[in-house]
């Protein structure tokens, strides 16, 4: 089992910055992918950015150039630095972790409780 705890959300004015953190605990050695998703009211949960244990990174189009994901493997923390925030970035941001495949080819996925980010215009 893996537990994820996010922090760093809050209220910020448009154009400002926030950094989110997500600390993993439990079976952290099994984690391959860590990332961030977001969900605005009435919308589906969407990918923001992900990073693999060996350093691979993927961003959603809206995050390219404004958001930076980073990962501290020894501390089992993933960060999301968000710059030039816009009102449309307002959402609950969720941390996600996916394990390596087990010997049966199965992966497990875990979610944090979410942290609210509100960007005022």
């Amino acid at each position: 089992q893996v537990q994820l705890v996010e922090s760093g959300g809050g209220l910020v004015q448009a154009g400002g910055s926030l950094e989110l953190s997500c600390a993993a605990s439990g079976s952290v050695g099994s984690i391959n992918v860590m990332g961030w998703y977001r969900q605005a009211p009435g919308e589906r949960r969407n990918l923001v950015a992900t990073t693999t244990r060996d350093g691979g990174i993927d961003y959603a189009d809206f995050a390219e150039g404004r958001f930076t994901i980073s990962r501290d493997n020894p501390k089992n923390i993933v960060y999301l630095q968000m710059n030039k925030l816009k009102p449309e970035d307002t959402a609950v941001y969720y941390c996600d972790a996916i394990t390596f495949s087990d010997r049966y080819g199965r992966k497990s996925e875990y979610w944090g409780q979410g942290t609210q980010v509100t960007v005022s215009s």
Side-chain angles (χ1 to χ4, degrees):
Q1 292 290 315
V2 172
Q3 296 78 42
L4 302 171
V5 178
E6 302 107 331
S7 61
L11 174 65
V12 64
Q13 289 189 330
S17 298
L18 277 176
E19 183 179 66
L20 306 182
S21 301
C22 172
S25 61
S27 301
V28 294
S30 67
I31 299 174
N32 179 21
V33 181
M34 294 189 75
W36 293 93
Y37 288 72
R38 72 184 189 183
Q39 187 169 20
E43 297 186 10
R44 60 181 293 179
R45 191 172 298 186
N46 293 311
L47 169 73
V48 178
T50 60
T51 178
T52 60
R53 181 172 286 274
D54 63 359
I57 290 177
D58 185 37
Y59 290 104
D61 288 345
F62 66 79
E64 283 277 12
R66 297 191 301 128
F67 295 1
T68 302
I69 190 169
S70 60
R71 181 170 174 173
D72 186 331
N73 282 327
K75 294 183 178 179
N76 302 302
I77 299 175
V78 63
Y79 303 94
L80 184 69
Q81 176 66 43
M82 303 185 292
N83 298 324
K84 300 179 182 179
L85 283 162
K86 306 174 182 179
E88 51 264 43
D89 294 317
T90 295
V92 177
Y93 284 70
Y94 294 92
C95 181
D96 173 68
I98 302 174
T99 64
F100 291 99
S101 298
D102 64 14
R103 59 179 177 171
Y104 302 107
R106 301 173 304 193
K107 299 178 181 179
S108 297
E109 185 169 26
Y110 301 91
W111 294 94
Q113 80 285 358
T115 185
Q116 177 70 46
V117 171
T118 303
V119 184
S120 63
S121 57

